[in-house]
Amino acid sequence: EVENLVKTYGDTRAVDGVSFAVEPGEIFGIVGPNGAGKTTIVESVEGLRHPDVGRIRVLGLDPIADRYEITERLGVQLQESRLQDKIRVNEALELYASFYRQPADWRDLLDRLGLGAKETARYADLSGGQKQRLAVALALVGSPEVAILDELTTGLDPQARRDTWETIEEIKRSGVTVVLVTHFMEEADRLCDRIMVIDHGRISAIDTPAGLISRIGSEQRLRFRPSEPLADELLLELPDVVSVEHDGPQTVVTGTGNVVHAVTSLLAQRRIIAQDLRIEQASLEDAYLALTNDELVETGSEVR
């Protein structure tokens, strides 16, 4: 639970009156542009930064006053971290496991994160993606009740990223609450139950991925290259069509409701083939761009 969090660096107010609550067992995403205040928020929750103003509670504990108990129950993967070059993967995990009363099986974590073959490798010999996965393993080795993961899959190849997503979904199923800071909208859409959008140190919205998408409307776009010329007026006469534009040889039809069926039926009637047909719907990325470009005003989102 975060209430009225304010953090200032010199003349810059990095976080400006942020309040939100994360529910037990959910994956709560935090997204926003670079410099929006995301890392300052999570580092305040972790107890690594002292807020100028505000109240923070993690599992009912104060991250500063109850630091010892918090470190037993909170797992953290920092945005940037590194180990000594000569330490081996198994040595690092054994060391970190020794800090906790009930650590996880670190060998199982290695296997789940695709690092089983690197158990005895030195840190300096790991790739960037492997170092990132090791940081995740170190965050989870204490069997935390809450895990905060900052830029979880940065530097990972697509397969490693999806393997890591599956691991996070397993963690959630085991009852761990996850706070996930990410720049990847696909990652946020797949993993998060709710997402908080931060811009210029303030909350733009808190909602489910579907809820954020619904804020920018339910319009659909059809892109196709007609096999024969087609007058725009014929398309605009269809009741579900909002606009018709052209992108080079492509016709772009925007509409609502049954616009896909209406357009394809018209084309069939006129025996026109829709070549390279693509159907585009609003995505979480569209919603994010709107919310972080002042195109959408916060109205009634669940901000606590």
Side-chain angles (χ1 to χ4, degrees):
E1 297 177 344
V2 175
E3 297 178 4
N4 193 34
L5 175 63
V6 176
K7 183 65 180 177
T8 302
Y9 303 106
D11 295 329
T12 302
R13 180 163 286 197
V15 181
D16 189 7
V18 166
S19 299
F20 64 94
V22 179
E23 301 298 333
E26 77 172 336
I27 299 180
F28 184 85
I30 302 178
V31 303
N34 290 331
K38 306 184 299 297
T39 294
T40 295
I41 291 170
V42 295
E43 289 186 351
S44 298
V45 170
E46 295 158 0
L48 299 178
R49 296 189 185 274
H50 290 244
D52 299 329
V53 177
R55 176 182 181 275
I56 300 174
R57 290 294 181 269
V58 180
L59 299 167
L61 303 172
D62 184 317
I64 304 297
D66 303 312
R67 184 166 182 77
Y68 177 77
E69 183 63 23
I70 282 285
T71 56
E72 282 284 341
R73 302 172 67 185
L74 178 67
V76 174
Q77 176 241 330
L78 299 172
Q79 187 178 63
E80 294 184 19
S81 61
R82 68 173 294 114
L83 300 174
Q84 297 88 344
D85 284 345
K86 293 185 178 180
I87 195 169
R88 298 184 186 277
V89 170
N90 57 353
E91 292 172 338
L93 284 160
E94 285 179 352
L95 175 63
Y96 274 61
S98 71
F99 300 156
Y100 301 98
R101 291 188 290 259
Q102 295 180 313
D105 180 345
W106 59 262
R107 288 184 176 84
D108 178 59
L109 276 176
L110 280 187
D111 289 338
R112 287 160 61 191
L113 289 166
L115 287 173
K118 295 294 181 179
E119 182 176 330
T120 59
R122 295 185 187 276
Y123 184 77
D125 295 331
L126 300 178
S127 68
Q130 290 166 345
K131 290 176 179 177
Q132 188 77 345
R133 279 178 273 172
L134 178 58
V136 175
L138 294 174
L140 301 176
V141 75
S143 300
E145 296 171 56
V146 176
I148 298 178
L149 308 173
D150 195 349
E151 300 297 343
L152 172 70
T153 57
T154 297
L156 299 187
D157 61 67
Q159 185 58 55
R161 181 175 295 132
R162 291 181 183 278
D163 291 343
T164 304
W165 292 349
E166 291 177 3
T167 300
I168 301 309
E169 289 168 337
E170 288 178 19
I171 292 166
K172 178 192 174 182
R173 287 192 290 269
S174 70
V176 177
T177 301
V178 178
V179 176
L180 176 65
V181 181
T182 182
H183 278 115
F184 294 107
M185 292 304 109
E186 183 184 2
E187 181 169 282
D189 197 6
R190 169 166 170 171
L191 294 179
C192 297
D193 298 292
R194 290 189 300 145
I195 297 171
M196 177 170 70
V197 183
I198 294 289
D199 193 22
H200 296 95
R202 296 183 177 182
I203 295 175
S204 295
I206 299 179
D207 211 332
T208 63
L212 292 175
I213 293 169
S214 70
R215 294 171 183 234
I216 59 172
S218 57
E219 290 185 343
Q220 296 177 308
R221 288 187 298 273
L222 282 78
R223 289 180 173 269
F224 60 93
R225 188 162 46 87
S227 59
E228 297 179 17
L230 177 65
D232 291 354
E233 291 75 15
L234 292 174
L235 292 166
L236 289 168
E237 288 174 359
L238 299 173
D240 295 314
V241 170
V242 174
S243 67
V244 178
E245 299 174 331
H246 295 277
D247 184 5
Q250 288 190 327
T251 297
V252 183
V253 181
T254 302
T256 59
N258 293 319
V259 65
V260 174
H261 176 72
V263 171
T264 54
S265 295
L266 175 66
L267 295 175
Q269 289 170 10
R270 295 188 166 265
R271 297 184 179 180
I272 295 175
I273 299 172
Q275 299 171 335
D276 303 324
L277 175 64
R278 289 172 51 194
I279 300 172
E280 303 171 352
Q281 293 180 303
S283 67
L284 183 60
E285 184 169 334
D286 294 326
Y288 167 79
L289 291 172
L291 286 161
T292 56
N293 282 284
D294 301 323
E295 293 177 16
L296 210 59
V297 178
E298 172 62 32
T299 54
S301 67
E302 183 184 348
V303 178
R304 292 181 292 168

